[in-house]
Amino acid sequence: MKFSAAAALLVAAVTDAHYTFPSVGTTADWAVVRQTKNYQSNGPVTDVQSADIRCYQMKNTAGIMNVTAGQPVSYNAKASISHPGPMSFYIAKVPAGESVATWEPGTAKVWSKIYQDMPNIAAGGMSWPTQGAKSVSVTLPRCLANGEYLLRAEHIGLHSAGSAGGAQFYISCAQISVSGGSGTFAPKSQVSFPGAYSATDPGIMINIYYPIPKSYTPPGPAVESC
Ligand SMILES: *[C@@H]1O[C@H](CO)[C@@H](O)[C@H](O)[C@H]1NC(C)=O
Ligand SMILES: [Cu+2]
């Protein structure tokens, strides 16, 4: 009895450590973000080859958020980003004639990275700017073409990433409509999900604690700029 109570507490603690990205700006949870399969469990994706690595999506949502190119958008974490690891954002433009409310990118190479943070590496270890954050701000490139996009948030929990399959991916896709863009965005590298990552990429399979790494190479393409 004592053991099972302790075990239940441990499970609760582990579950609480996970998180989701259910909203953007002041929108309600899952109003403009496609509801993810972990909306109750908060659990991560661990297989980078699964379709869940794209948007971790359970269902589409009707809502679309209007945003302005060159302006910041805050992507909210629930409850908070409680694991150490990198944050990135990707965008995919909805093809002409399609609506972001129904478009499915599948495994097409349509994703461009627009944001990537980097760790601070010191004698005490690696630390990440988002750890504990409840919201992360991303500025949409001012050169984007106007139109509808999926804005994909990705945080990788690296606390147990020393072996393949140990990294934890927390993912969401928001439906946005961009205006005010200059339209010259010309990404050098577009990737697919799955496809962009391998389980053994040095930024995905890494022991961040010992020995303390001397550098960090994020997975995926370089950040695109205007
Ligand atoms: C977004 O912009 C469109 C076009 O201007 C407008 O029709 C729509 O009401 C806006 N949506 C919101 C939620 O403000
Ligand atoms: Cu967790």
Side-chain angles (χ1 to χ4, degrees), residues 138-225:
V138 52
T139 297
L140 300 168
R142 66 192 144 62
C143 58
L144 283 182
N146 294 339
E148 294 181 341
Y149 292 80
L150 288 173
L151 175 62
R152 177 181 176 278
E154 175 192 278
H155 186 263
I156 312 178
L158 291 178
H159 51 296
S160 56
S163 55
Q168 300 186 349
F169 293 79
Y170 297 91
I171 296 160
S172 275
C173 290
Q175 301 180 165
I176 61 171
S177 178
V178 174
S179 62
S182 67
T184 57
F185 187 68
K188 294 181 184 69
S189 172
Q190 289 182 294
V191 297
S192 67
F193 287 105
Y197 299 166
S198 156
T200 55
D201 283 348
I204 293 176
M205 191 177 81
I206 179 173
N207 181 333
I208 62 170
Y209 299 109
Y210 189 84
I212 297 168
K214 292 184 167 49
S215 65
Y216 180 73
T217 306
V223 172
E224 303 289 343
S225 53

Side-chain angles (χ1 to χ4, degrees), residues 52-175:
D52 285 343
I53 200 72
R54 188 157 58 242
C55 288
Y56 206 180
Q57 180 177 327
M58 189 175 70
K59 60 180 182 187
N60 285 15
T61 184
I64 302 171
M65 186 178 180
N66 289 336
V67 297
T68 306
Q71 293 297 308
V73 171
S74 57
Y75 221 122
N76 304 311
K78 191 174 185 175
S80 68
I81 299 173
S82 51
H83 293 312
M87 185 86 211
S88 62
F89 292 98
Y90 290 77
I91 52 165
K93 190 166 194 311
V94 177
E98 302 249 21
S99 163
V100 72
T102 51
W103 181 54
E104 296 296 343
T107 53
K109 290 187 173 180
V110 291
W111 298 97
S112 305
K113 189 188 273 184
I114 59 167
Y115 176 97
Q116 175 71 63
D117 69 4
M118 290 294 283
N120 181 50
I121 303 177
M126 278 179 129
S127 62
W128 301 84
T130 57
Q131 195 163 354
K134 293 180 178 302
S135 180
V136 182
S137 177
V138 52
T139 297
L140 300 168
R142 66 192 144 62
C143 58
L144 283 182
N146 294 339
E148 294 181 341
Y149 292 80
L150 288 173
L151 175 62
R152 177 181 176 278
E154 175 192 278
H155 186 263
I156 312 178
L158 291 178
H159 51 296
S160 56
S163 55
Q168 300 186 349
F169 293 79
Y170 297 91
I171 296 160
S172 275
C173 290
Q175 301 180 165

